[in-house]
Amino acid sequence: MLDQDIKVQLQGYLERLVHPIELVVYAKDSDGDTSNNAHAEATQQMRALVEDIVSLSDKVSWREQRVSEAEEVRTPSFSINRVGSDMKLRFAGLPMGHEFTSLVLALLQAGGHPAKEAPELLEQIQSLDGEYRFVTYISLTCHNCPDIVQALNLMAVLNPRVSHVMVDGALFQDEINAKNILAVPAVYLNDEPFGQGRMSLSEIVAKLDVNSVAREAAKLSAKEAFDVLVVGSGPAGAAAAIYAARKGIRTGVVAERFGGQVMDTLGIENFVSVDYTEGPKLVAAMEKHVKHYGVDVMQQQRVASVVPAPQAGALVEVKLENGAVLKSKSVILATGARWRELGVPGEREYRGHGVAYCPHCDGPLFKGKAVAVVGGGNSGVEAAIDLAGIVAKVTLLEFAPELKADAVLQSKLYSLPNVRVIKNAQTQEVRGADGKVTSLAYQDRATSDTHELSVAGVFVQIGLLPNSDFVKGAVQLTRFGEIEVDAKGQTSALGVFAAGDVTTTPYKQIIIAMGDGAKAALSAFDYLIRSSVESPATASEVNSPVVKEAAVV
């Protein structure tokens, strides 16, 4: 099952086990029925995987548990338990692909290897009272799913009142069809929907521990003022934090999640000096680099508003949605952008039930079905190419008379037999029945005729919108919502700088955002030096043209 290189690596990890662990494979007689090829093959592979793991450590044992047809146990599946304890951690499906790391961490943590989380968060998990039965539906190609699987697995290791089952949606299609699950990760708690999309361990715990929000807000508000506070932790925010911290000044980062949109980017082939990498890997490297400099990183925090400094040398206030207020001598806005919506009837109603924005995550859930991709740029064409290898048929709709994607991508697209391209198509409505998408209506812009495509999914790939709503009225924005900045990253507000995709900087690229963040940090440092020696009366002399123009207006 596992190749020799992976076995060698895994054996090294298993040497860290402190306590013996037992793996239990659950299978029904029907799982060996060759008429159900998927389950029969998965059962054989699961046994082989477990046997490989056991062969690598004398602290790991296994047994097989036969399950009757009447028992409500997902098969094939296997559990991980520390011998003599009562852990409730299970994989229903083969945790390979992106989930292999989840398997390795579950083995280590069940075997007593300490988790790399804040001690106060681990104590908070252990003190949770009540019964928490979690089920997470995933796809093995989803790069967002492992974060949730790993978080809930750790909770099941730490607290006997928490159980967690990872369910591979491609293997248990009947189950996800019954629940109308068309986007992953999808988390259920005690048989009720709990969350969808990426969530961190601290976010999950905060939803369960209702008093934690107030405690966290009080702790954040008590922090002393920063020299530079970066809002956002994508490429621009990470670069800004690193450049600021290297100046030896007090630097903080506040953001919802580290990495931003890059976490949803699979293949990256234009990052100079790196032939190929993937979004999550790049984000992990950025976060490690930022923390290397002792930056105070405050994640899972949404910013509600920013109050600029009234004069040079005064503090900028950053108000969070949980009620906390952070203060800083300067602020760098690096909040990036989000997926642009179609804005048509049915889109929001069927989001997560056929309307999707991540083909890598949700594509496997549409295996054998027909889907539509809206958008003919690089993202849309790449999505159509990826989906063509999974689904039965892909129809790509482009609003303009011609596709905008690179020629090499278009060539690949047109070579695929199960892809159809429709140009001059204006999407009008996403239609559905029984809680899931059934079709998409569009108008031919050349003839004004209306057509309807029978599809099970609609993947929206039409670009990005800047995440700037929280600074409306505080800084100047363009009509597109981008933050206006000058050549140094200065906004119209004193002490407030901006960088990356949220700004007017052209060409939304990772490497450009990083350079933008570095520039904003250097500009903020220059502002700190100047504002510390100049009086409020002369401080306007150091402001950018954007600031001066705003003052005139």
Side-chain angles (χ1 to χ4, degrees):
M1 179 65 192
L2 300 177
D3 64 38
Q4 189 57 36
D5 288 341
I6 292 179
K7 283 185 178 181
V8 171
Q9 294 179 41
L10 183 56
Q11 186 173 30
Y13 285 124
L14 295 179
E15 289 176 357
R16 305 176 188 178
L17 295 178
V18 179
H19 306 289
I21 58 176
E22 181 185 50
L23 311 182
V24 181
V25 175
Y26 296 85
K28 295 178 181 176
D29 291 334
S30 57
D31 289 336
D33 184 356
T34 55
S35 64
N36 187 348
N37 292 329
H39 277 240
E41 182 179 357
T43 301
Q44 294 173 1
Q45 291 178 334
M46 189 171 292
R47 290 193 186 104
L49 173 63
V50 169
E51 288 174 347
D52 279 350
I53 295 171
V54 171
S55 71
L56 300 175
S57 173
D58 58 5
K59 281 190 168 65
V60 185
S61 60
W62 84 286
R63 62 185 173 88
E64 184 164 325
Q65 179 73 47
R66 305 304 294 178
V67 179
S68 70
E69 295 296 329
E71 292 181 84
E72 295 183 359
V73 176
R74 294 180 186 86
T75 61
S77 65
F78 70 97
S79 64
I80 301 175
N81 188 34
R82 183 181 302 166
V83 174
S85 70
D86 187 26
M87 294 177 183
K88 304 177 183 68
L89 187 162
R90 185 178 301 195
F91 292 92
L94 282 167
M96 303 303 289
H98 290 295
E99 292 297 348
F100 187 69
T101 301
S102 301
L103 169 62
V104 175
L105 286 173
L107 292 168
L108 289 175
Q109 290 162 358
H113 188 70
K116 295 181 179 180
E117 300 289 346
E120 57 268 23
L121 180 57
L122 300 179
E123 291 176 8
Q124 191 177 0
I125 293 169
Q126 290 170 327
S127 64
L128 287 173
D129 198 10
E131 182 183 9
Y132 304 96
R133 292 178 287 105
F134 284 102
V135 178
T136 304
Y137 295 90
I138 62 98
S139 71
L140 296 179
T141 57
C142 170
H143 51 279
N144 290 327
C145 296
D147 283 355
I148 288 184
V149 172
Q150 291 163 23
L152 293 172
N153 281 349
L154 177 57
M155 291 178 65
V157 168
L158 294 173
N159 191 327
R161 294 176 290 278
V162 177
S163 67
H164 179 234
V165 184
M166 181 214 80
V167 179
D168 178 5
L171 186 61
F172 292 88
Q173 285 254 325
D174 290 345
E175 192 169 340
I176 65 168
N177 289 338
K179 293 181 179 294
N180 284 331
I181 295 173
L182 292 173
V184 292
V187 183
Y188 280 67
L189 170 60
N190 298 340
D191 300 321
E192 296 294 331
F194 176 78
Q196 188 168 327
R198 179 185 294 276
M199 282 189 293
S200 68
L201 177 61
S202 56
E203 284 179 298
I204 294 169
V205 175
K207 288 185 71 171
L208 301 176
D209 185 358
V210 293
N211 295 321
S212 65
V213 175
R215 293 197 303 270
E216 180 69 9
K219 185 169 66 174
L220 291 172
S221 294
K223 290 179 179 289
E224 65 177 280
F226 294 93
D227 292 309
V228 173
L229 178 61
V230 182
V231 181
S233 59
I242 290 167
Y243 267 72
R246 281 176 58 85
K247 293 295 184 182
I249 57 180
R250 179 169 162 73
T251 304
V253 172
V254 59
E256 288 187 63
R257 61 164 178 165
F258 211 98
Q261 281 287 333
V262 179
M263 284 298 293
D264 300 323
T265 304
L266 192 58
I268 300 171
E269 299 176 297
N270 57 358
F271 192 75
V272 178
S273 81
V274 179
D275 292 339
Y276 176 85
T277 188
E278 296 180 351
K281 291 181 180 179
L282 179 59
V283 169
M286 290 193 307
E287 185 172 9
K288 181 180 180 181
H289 198 175
V290 168
K291 290 181 176 179
H292 172 74
Y293 289 106
V295 175
D296 187 348
V297 179
M298 298 158 279
Q299 296 193 66
Q300 288 80 57
Q301 303 298 332
R302 288 179 61 90
V303 175
S305 63
V306 173
V307 181
Q311 61 187 34
L315 297 177
V316 181
E317 290 188 352
V318 175
K319 298 182 177 180
L320 308 184
E321 288 192 353
N322 65 6
V325 178
L326 299 172
K327 296 181 180 181
S328 183
K329 296 175 184 177
S330 66
V331 166
I332 299 174
L333 306 174
T335 45
R338 63 188 182 276
W339 294 114
R340 184 185 297 273
E341 297 181 357
L342 291 167
V344 300
E347 179 182 16
R348 293 196 173 186
E349 178 183 355
Y350 292 107
R351 180 181 294 170
H353 298 282
V355 174
Y357 301 84
C358 179
H360 304 296
C361 300
D362 302 328
L365 302 179
F366 296 86
K367 184 178 180 181
K369 300 177 182 178
V371 303
V373 174
V374 182
N378 282 351
S379 296
V381 172
E382 287 173 351
I385 292 171
D386 289 342
L387 290 166
I390 302 171
V391 305
K393 181 179 180 182
V394 179
T395 302
L396 185 144
L397 293 88
E398 165 56 37
F399 181 83
E402 298 296 334
L403 300 182
K404 301 182 287 292
D406 294 343
V408 64
L409 293 175
Q410 292 193 44
S411 177
K412 174 65 175 177
L413 180 74
Y414 284 117
S415 73
L416 300 173
N418 61 335
V419 174
R420 176 190 178 196
V421 177
I422 303 176
K423 304 171 186 175
N424 267 329
Q426 182 174 0
T427 304
Q428 292 188 316
E429 182 182 3
V430 177
R431 298 171 180 170
D434 299 324
K436 56 185 177 181
V437 169
T438 57
S439 65
L440 178 146
Y442 72 93
Q443 183 181 60
D444 186 322
R445 297 176 59 235
T447 65
S448 297
D449 293 338
T450 299
H451 304 273
E452 185 170 5
L453 290 173
S454 179
V455 293
V458 177
F459 288 82
V460 182
Q461 300 283 294
I462 57 172
L464 302 169
L465 283 174
N467 293 318
S468 60
D469 292 346
F470 70 101
V471 288
K472 285 182 178 177
V475 299
Q476 281 186 320
L477 305 177
T478 68
R479 63 189 180 93
F480 302 108
E482 294 175 320
I483 298 174
E484 291 190 356
V485 292
D486 67 8
K488 293 185 177 181
Q490 170 74 61
T491 72
S492 61
L494 195 63
V496 180
F497 301 81
D501 288 3
V502 73
T503 73
T504 49
T505 298
Y507 310 118
K508 312 303 185 184
Q509 298 290 311
I510 292 171
I511 198 164
I512 292 175
M514 285 183 170
D516 230 25
K519 178 176 62 178
L522 295 174
S523 298
F525 182 68
D526 183 66
Y527 163 80
L528 292 175
I529 294 173
R530 292 174 181 268
S531 62
S532 66
V533 297
E534 297 205 26
S535 67
T538 60
S540 61
E541 296 175 6
V542 302
N543 294 347
S544 71
V546 176
V547 176
K548 294 177 181 178
E549 182 181 345
V552 173
V553 173

